[in-house]
Amino acid sequence: MEQLVGFRFRPTEQQLLGDYLCKKITNNIDPELDLPTIDFYGESLEISEIWDMLGGPAQEEECTGDADVYVYTHLKKKSSTRNNGGKNYIRSVGTSSWQAETSNTPILDVDDDYLLPILGSKRRFKYVNKKKPESEGLWNLMEYSMEGSSLLELNPNLPRDVVLCRIRKNKKQLAKKRKLENDQYFEEAFMDE
């Protein structure tokens, strides 16, 4: 989706679920308004590669609250051989993973535009990389799903594995990382004297 100059894509949660995800899973989305689809859960792509593919700002300094990228992806179930009934999903991405910070939170229809009391749900994740602890928390992901939606109750044949993700660089963690790097730089500079 190409943005006009000066345009900021800042949809509400109700718009993300009603105008994008709902229309995507029912195959009613306008191709001009469609968002990219990248299956990144359980794949070898690193989060930085996904960010670059989706056109996120290249420089850490450019990241503001408006520096979000949106993408559809498919959930992939973990093995159902455990006693969980196959309800857990793979949340790995490259050599790292997404760790849940919240449980599913219902998103209600605050307008009567969609005629559905529950549009879906959202869940927040933080980026965790055990091989690079300094990068932990540098990314946040908000995952929007049709889980709990009245629409899925009305039509159980609709796909349940498609979700809409908002990926954002965490400004606070970036600032903390830069401060730590600057402190280390000055310590090394004074140690050399």
Side-chain angles (χ1 to χ4, degrees):
M1 179 169 77
E2 190 173 321
Q3 290 186 0
L4 301 172
V5 174
F7 175 81
R8 290 187 184 172
F9 185 69
R10 294 188 355 189
T12 64
E13 293 176 332
Q14 287 79 12
Q15 289 169 327
L16 286 172
L17 285 165
D19 294 332
Y20 288 89
L21 186 56
C22 178
K23 290 181 179 180
K24 178 74 169 179
I25 68 168
T26 58
N27 292 317
N28 289 323
I29 196 150
D30 180 348
E32 294 291 318
L33 298 176
D34 204 3
L35 299 169
T37 301
I38 300 174
D39 285 336
F40 59 81
Y41 286 139
E43 299 297 327
S44 60
L45 288 173
E46 294 295 338
I47 187 62
S48 58
E49 294 172 303
I50 296 166
W51 182 262
D52 292 341
M53 284 172 51
L54 296 170
Q59 298 297 319
E60 293 176 356
E61 292 78 25
E62 295 177 36
C63 286
T64 65
D66 297 326
D68 297 334
V69 293
Y70 294 85
V71 61
Y72 296 109
T73 194
H74 291 87
L75 296 175
K76 296 176 180 141
K77 288 188 176 187
K78 288 184 178 180
S79 171
S80 61
T81 56
R82 297 182 193 165
N83 292 331
N84 64 14
K87 294 182 181 179
N88 290 337
Y89 294 98
I90 296 170
R91 292 289 198 281
S92 62
V93 55
T95 57
S96 48
S97 64
W98 295 103
Q99 182 180 47
E101 292 188 309
T102 62
S103 58
N104 278 346
T105 305
I107 297 177
L108 304 176
D109 183 6
V110 293
D111 304 323
D112 287 328
D113 294 348
Y114 304 111
L115 304 173
L116 300 170
I118 299 176
L119 292 172
S121 62
K122 67 178 179 178
R123 193 168 180 196
R124 182 183 164 98
F125 295 85
K126 76 173 182 176
Y127 179 75
V128 177
N129 187 332
K130 293 183 175 155
K131 292 181 180 178
K132 294 182 181 177
E134 69 278 3
S135 66
E136 185 169 319
L138 289 179
W139 305 88
N140 291 324
L141 179 131
M142 188 67 76
E143 184 182 272
Y144 296 92
S145 73
M146 298 303 291
E147 184 70 33
S149 169
S150 305
L151 178 67
L152 289 181
E153 291 175 18
L154 295 172
N155 190 346
N157 296 326
L158 290 173
R160 297 170 182 263
D161 65 334
V162 178
V163 293
L164 175 58
C165 298
R166 182 195 72 207
I167 303 172
R168 174 180 287 173
K169 282 190 177 180
N170 186 337
K171 292 186 299 184
K172 290 178 184 175
Q173 285 297 105
L174 287 170
K176 194 187 226 182
K177 181 182 174 195
R178 275 196 298 272
K179 183 182 180 326
L180 183 63
E181 288 170 353
N182 286 340
D183 290 349
Q184 289 173 343
Y185 171 79
F186 285 115
E187 279 181 21
E188 289 172 7
F190 286 116
M191 296 287 274
D192 291 341
E193 291 180 358

